[in-house]
Amino acid sequence: MTTVEAAENLIHQHTISLGNELVDLDQCTGRILAESITADRDFPPFDRVTMDGIAIRYQHLEQGGTSFRVTGVQAAGSAPLRIEQPDEAIEIMTGAVLPRGADTIIPYEQLIISGDQQKTATLSTSTVKGKNIHRKGSDRKKGTEILKPGAVLDAPEIGVAATVGKSVLTVLKPPSVAIISTGDELVPVEEIPLPHQIRSSNALTLSSSLNEWHIDADRFHILDDLTGTTNKLAELLENYQILIISGGVSKGKFDFVPQALEHLQVKKHFHRIKQRPGKPFWFGSHHSGTLVFAFPGNPVSSFMCFSRYMKPWLNRIFGLPSPAVIAKLAGDISFAPDLTYFAQVKISMEQETLFAYPVEGHGSGDLANLVDADAFMELPSGKQHFLQGESYPVYGYRRSVLSNLS
Ligand code: AMP
Ligand code: MG
């Protein structure tokens, strides 16, 4: 049996290559940029007025003037007007180009404006030369790289891409993934199971988990039959970069997955990990480059294996970090077998300390318990009692609870 660390290392020794694809900007949120984005113009592209008010030449104030003749109005989006004489002012709006000959903006709040035909603007407080102008190129110069390949495209990055005129971006293309559930006892979600049947849930849990990387997995189901399993896996190995199998990898009479994979010459890197849940996990690679993650069928087991092993691996192939998260046990846990125990815990941040409250379920078939918890806490083998106050790594599975939980 493989240890947790050895299994993790073996998985991380394998990779798949991600291609690129073009995606409309409004669909790019959360995607990983695969090109460099540079400023197509200066940021801002002109001396931009930042207040509604008047544009003036400061020289007039230096020479003792306090009032200006308003000789024009310039809105945002208009070509710049010109100030000819020092005592002229142009009414100006936020976002407009600084008029030619002007060097200072005085906001309406600092002005008294009088007159109907010929307006006069008089300063009510003193001002400083150059005020309220966002200078051309002061944020970024034309040609500067603003986003590098590998950037995660969150809302600010989408805004930057929009401003430089990129309506389509080159982003990493998610791998092709097939999720294969196995088992004669399983019926599709939309069917009413007979008393001895259950609905297949793992494939949906796993495909939902993969949405985080924008992976749109195809789902298949195979019955517990060696020939059927072998034939279907043969086909999928040729057509997908990653196969995620649930069930059929234990020691049961009808667990045909390892045999079928062996028959198809998928190289086994490990089978069985010294852990609970998830002991029967099988991992291998095919000469086509396809990787096979075969998780045990119990819903908590397959989800734990995904959260602990596959999630950090996916982050790595996408160039994303998987920060280690350590939490403090908020209650005692005892576990006698000499296995690494992944306890289900609820996470809570209290006075800047991350606490893990044990949420004991009824074993690896108890998928409802996952709803009450937020994470798996990795408790090492070789120890039986884990006490309140001790700290251990946690592997979270919720976006809503500390999104940085790896
Ligand atoms: P197995 O690993 O195939 O022996 O399955 C172990 C347990 O997990 C059995 O109780 C199965 O019914 C259950 N199981 C297997 N696959 C799924 C699935 N796709 N959805 C829900 N439960 C499953
Ligand atoms: Mg089965």
Side-chain angles (χ1 to χ4, degrees):
M1 255 199 299
T2 313
T3 63
V4 168
E5 293 69 31
E8 179 179 38
N9 287 336
L10 282 163
I11 291 171
H12 280 275
Q13 280 166 25
H14 292 85
T15 191
I16 51 162
S17 55
L18 301 181
N20 294 339
E21 63 181 345
L22 294 172
V23 174
D24 287 344
L25 184 57
D26 62 1
Q27 298 299 312
C28 278
T29 306
R31 302 295 298 266
I32 311 295
L33 188 64
E35 63 175 315
S36 173
I37 302 289
T38 53
D40 66 328
R41 313 160 79 190
D42 282 338
F43 273 36
F46 48 81
D47 287 338
R48 192 180 71 93
V49 170
T50 64
M51 296 290 279
D52 298 325
I54 59 169
I56 57 137
R57 198 178 298 172
Y58 192 76
Q59 180 196 4
H60 184 56
L61 298 176
E62 281 174 331
Q63 291 171 349
T66 52
S67 294
F68 293 86
R69 289 184 296 123
V70 178
T71 57
V73 181
Q74 191 191 312
S78 302
L81 298 175
R82 176 181 292 278
I83 287 179
E84 303 287 355
Q85 301 297 324
D87 69 337
E88 271 181 50
I90 288 167
E91 270 191 86
I92 196 88
M93 308 305 143
T94 302
V97 182
L98 183 69
R100 311 250 180 259
D103 57 17
T104 303
I105 303 298
I106 303 171
Y108 282 129
E109 294 82 341
Q110 296 172 13
L111 293 170
I112 297 157
I113 300 202
S114 56
D116 285 335
Q117 300 295 13
Q118 173 57 64
K119 278 192 197 168
T120 301
T122 307
L123 223 67
S124 57
T125 62
S126 61
T127 189
V128 179
K129 186 175 179 182
K131 272 291 247 189
N132 304 316
I133 300 165
H134 187 186
R135 289 288 174 191
K136 177 177 193 289
S138 60
D139 299 344
R140 298 288 191 281
K141 293 282 182 225
K142 178 178 175 176
T144 322
E145 184 179 55
I146 304 182
L147 298 175
K148 289 186 175 14
V152 181
L153 297 166
D154 287 324
E157 288 76 17
I158 299 291
V160 161
T163 219
V164 302
K166 300 282 296 185
S167 58
V168 173
L169 294 179
T170 307
V171 295
L172 288 185
K173 184 179 172 154
S176 55
V177 179
I179 298 173
I180 307 112
S181 50
T182 69
D184 290 356
E185 73 280 29
L186 302 168
V187 300
V189 181
E190 55 280 3
E191 282 185 21
I192 311 271
L194 296 171
H196 51 275
Q197 295 178 319
I198 57 166
R199 290 195 184 92
S200 173
S201 61
N202 289 348
L204 272 300
T205 310
L206 291 166
S207 68
S208 155
S209 303
L210 293 171
N211 287 344
E212 192 172 333
W213 295 268
H214 299 265
I215 295 169
D216 190 11
D218 290 332
R219 297 193 303 272
F220 302 90
H221 185 74
I222 49 187
L223 298 173
D224 294 322
D225 150 68
L226 181 57
T227 310
T229 302
T230 310
N231 292 343
K232 191 67 194 174
L233 292 179
E235 176 199 323
L236 298 176
L237 279 168
E238 296 303 329
N239 293 313
Y240 290 88
Q241 291 174 283
I242 299 171
L243 305 190
I244 306 178
I245 302 172
S246 110
V249 282
S250 304
K251 290 186 167 160
K253 264 209 160 96
F254 305 101
D255 290 334
F256 294 121
V257 168
Q259 216 178 318
L261 290 169
E262 194 181 325
H263 187 72
L264 294 166
Q265 292 171 336
V266 180
K267 189 171 165 26
K268 179 178 80 180
H269 299 298
F270 63 74
H271 185 195
R272 285 191 272 277
I273 305 178
K274 287 182 69 183
Q275 64 180 13
R276 184 178 296 166
K279 198 202 267 180
F281 183 6
W282 191 107
F283 173 69
S285 57
H286 187 237
H287 57 77
S288 63
T290 302
L291 298 179
V292 180
F293 296 78
F295 299 145
N298 267 311
V300 177
S301 310
S302 66
F303 191 51
M304 190 288 283
C305 289
F306 179 85
S307 305
R308 171 63 181 88
Y309 300 98
M310 198 160 180
K311 187 174 174 172
W313 179 79
L314 282 169
N315 279 340
R316 194 173 62 80
I317 64 167
F318 276 86
L320 298 168
S322 284
V325 180
I326 307 289
K328 214 170 235 198
L329 255 182
D332 298 345
I333 295 179
S334 290
F335 182 74
D338 187 23
L339 300 169
T340 300
Y341 180 49
F342 287 92
Q344 293 174 66
V345 293
K346 188 144 193 73
I347 296 295
S348 162
M349 180 67 99
E350 294 161 26
Q351 275 120 38
E352 300 191 10
T353 301
L354 206 56
F355 283 98
Y357 289 85
V359 186
E360 214 185 320
H362 299 110
S364 51
D366 184 1
L367 80 167
N369 199 60
L370 292 170
V371 173
D372 293 334
D374 302 316
F376 295 99
M377 183 173 235
E378 184 172 329
L379 304 173
S381 57
K383 188 171 151 95
Q384 297 196 347
H385 302 291
F386 303 91
L387 304 178
Q388 181 175 352
E390 294 175 0
S391 293
Y392 298 100
V394 284
Y395 294 86
Y397 51 80
R398 287 191 192 285
R399 249 166 292 206
S400 54
V401 181
L402 295 178
S403 57
N404 65 346
L405 281 183
S406 68

